[in-house]
Amino acid sequence: MDKEYVGFAALPNQLHRKSIKKGFDFTLMVAGESGLGKSTLINSLFLTNLYEDRQLPEASARLTQTLTIERRGVEIEEGGIKVKLTLVDTPGFGDSVDCSDCWLPVVRFIEEQFEQYLRDESGLNRKNIQDSRVHCCLYFISPFGRGLRPLDVAFLRAVHEKVNIIPVIGKADALMPREAQALKQKIRDQLKEEEINIYQFPDCDSDEDEDFKRQDAEMKESIPFAVVGSCEVVRDIGSRPVRGRRYSWGTVEVENPHHCDFLNLRRMLVQTHLQDLKEVTHDLLYEGYRARCLQSLARPGARDRASRSKLSRRSTAEIPLPCCPCCPWPRRRS
């Protein structure tokens, strides 16, 4: 006798409809020195213009420029799927003469998002919690150096336990293919030597098809991604229009895997691992922050110190005053 149909097979469809109705949100941070094509790459990845109102400072203003945090949001819809993208930019990083501790505002911003989420999660209304945590950080590395600079190492070491880091070599069209491979290997060796953790790709399931496994292996081998960004459509004689950059020696196609790793980066960031980046942020990075906060409160005397600190911050207007020096009863406020 054939087994009767119950209907559990429709559960994925229910989750699919609910997810589409609710929509998705994703927070992406970009960091690195100016002039590496960060803005162009973001516009190329999401086919939008997030920086149309930006004004670049003069060279003299950059001498004393300090790092600031800028947040931009845009809602992207494709095939009925809505994604609320929040981009966190860090203009001024590495632009001043003295770059010591210039990464502290970034660390403070990431921790503030964790703190806000923990506060909302511990509140009374937990149904509509806004997730502003940074799910991924694209860190841009200069193609003109010999690997990671001391500033790069200091920044990555400060944030590698707080956010998913994806290293990116900007303006990779300045490198020959063999130079790009040598620089990638140098950066990988430095990350291992400095014990800096970057985003680790999850292992493929055994039931995945061979095409997906091949693409996953290519993405893993491409780290750090050597990318070129461009929103300009160029057309060579006798060829189809492509997005790229035209030079006297030829045209660099952004979406050509033989020219750069743009396709691998977009595939990893949007098509295959976006949800995993969010899960790692919640299950690993945020839980580590939450555990440290709870442990600090569980230490002996921690609550008493917090209460005394809170009491000391209260203004004198909030503390009841006696009617007179010899009267123990507080004065009745009008």
Side-chain angles (χ1 to χ4, degrees), residues 55-116:
Q55 296 181 356
L56 297 178
E58 299 293 336
S60 59
R62 295 185 181 182
L63 296 177
T64 58
Q65 185 178 2
T66 58
L67 185 143
T68 57
I69 305 294
E70 292 183 359
R71 191 184 311 194
R72 302 168 184 266
V74 63
E75 188 172 287
I76 304 174
E77 183 174 356
E78 183 180 77
I81 308 298
K82 294 182 179 180
V83 175
K84 183 181 179 182
L85 173 66
T86 302
L87 179 69
V88 180
D89 201 356
T90 57
F93 178 83
D95 290 348
S96 60
V97 176
D98 184 7
C99 296
S100 58
D101 298 337
C102 66
W103 54 86
L104 292 181
V106 179
V107 177
R108 192 180 307 116
F109 176 83
I110 297 174
E111 291 182 343
E112 285 175 355
Q113 309 315 307
F114 282 158
E115 181 182 357
Q116 181 63 42

Side-chain angles (χ1 to χ4, degrees), residues 44-325:
S44 303
L45 283 171
F46 300 102
L47 297 178
T48 184
N49 189 3
L50 291 170
Y51 298 92
E52 56 184 353
D53 58 343
R54 166 175 285 187
Q55 296 181 356
L56 297 178
E58 299 293 336
S60 59
R62 295 185 181 182
L63 296 177
T64 58
Q65 185 178 2
T66 58
L67 185 143
T68 57
I69 305 294
E70 292 183 359
R71 191 184 311 194
R72 302 168 184 266
V74 63
E75 188 172 287
I76 304 174
E77 183 174 356
E78 183 180 77
I81 308 298
K82 294 182 179 180
V83 175
K84 183 181 179 182
L85 173 66
T86 302
L87 179 69
V88 180
D89 201 356
T90 57
F93 178 83
D95 290 348
S96 60
V97 176
D98 184 7
C99 296
S100 58
D101 298 337
C102 66
W103 54 86
L104 292 181
V106 179
V107 177
R108 192 180 307 116
F109 176 83
I110 297 174
E111 291 182 343
E112 285 175 355
Q113 309 315 307
F114 282 158
E115 181 182 357
Q116 181 63 42
Y117 191 87
L118 179 60
R119 190 182 301 113
D120 295 342
E121 194 179 39
S122 304
L124 297 177
N125 185 10
R126 302 173 56 187
K127 292 183 179 180
N128 300 315
I129 297 179
Q130 299 295 326
D131 187 6
S132 61
R133 297 170 297 180
V134 181
H135 302 117
C136 177
C137 175
L138 295 181
Y139 186 75
F140 283 71
I141 304 169
S142 174
F144 308 112
R146 297 182 178 180
L148 297 175
R149 302 174 303 165
L151 178 60
D152 301 329
V153 175
F155 175 86
L156 295 175
R157 187 180 293 161
V159 303
H160 74 120
E161 294 183 349
K162 306 177 187 299
V163 67
N164 294 306
I165 298 174
I166 299 178
V168 172
I169 301 174
K171 293 191 173 181
D173 51 346
L175 300 172
M176 298 289 290
R178 56 181 178 82
E179 294 175 337
Q181 293 302 322
L183 181 58
K184 286 185 177 186
Q185 187 59 47
K186 176 66 175 178
I187 294 173
R188 286 193 290 261
D189 294 340
Q190 287 181 291
L191 292 173
K192 184 177 180 180
E193 180 182 354
E194 298 292 340
E195 297 182 351
I196 296 174
N197 300 321
I198 62 174
Y199 173 69
Q200 299 295 323
F201 287 77
D203 296 331
C204 290
D205 297 331
S206 57
D207 57 347
E208 296 287 353
D209 55 21
E210 294 299 326
D211 187 50
F212 182 85
K213 292 181 180 179
R214 177 183 56 80
Q215 293 180 357
D216 186 75
E218 290 179 358
M219 288 187 292
K220 292 179 180 179
E221 294 175 359
S222 298
I223 292 180
F225 297 98
V227 296
V228 179
S230 177
C231 297
E232 181 182 358
V233 178
V234 298
R235 181 192 296 270
D236 290 336
I237 299 176
S239 64
R240 58 182 177 83
V242 295
R243 282 194 300 148
R245 293 181 175 273
R246 178 176 293 166
Y247 299 97
S248 58
W249 44 264
T251 300
V252 178
E253 299 180 14
V254 171
E255 298 181 351
N256 190 330
H258 299 289
H259 293 183
C260 67
D261 298 326
F262 177 85
L263 281 182
N264 284 330
L265 175 61
R266 187 176 65 182
R267 184 182 297 116
M268 184 279 300
L269 193 62
V270 180
Q271 300 177 5
T272 59
H273 291 78
L274 185 147
Q275 186 61 32
D276 186 70
L277 287 166
K278 297 182 63 174
E279 291 176 359
V280 172
T281 300
H282 181 79
D283 299 337
L284 184 63
L285 303 175
Y286 169 71
E287 285 300 322
Y289 171 84
R290 179 175 176 272
R292 290 191 295 270
C293 290
L294 295 179
Q295 288 175 359
S296 64
L297 291 176
R299 292 171 185 158
R303 292 189 176 182
D304 295 339
R305 289 193 298 269
S307 299
R308 289 196 297 269
S309 176
K310 183 178 180 181
L311 181 61
S312 63
R313 290 195 298 266
R314 295 177 59 188
S315 62
T316 56
E318 296 176 342
I319 302 177
L321 300 176
C323 295
C324 60

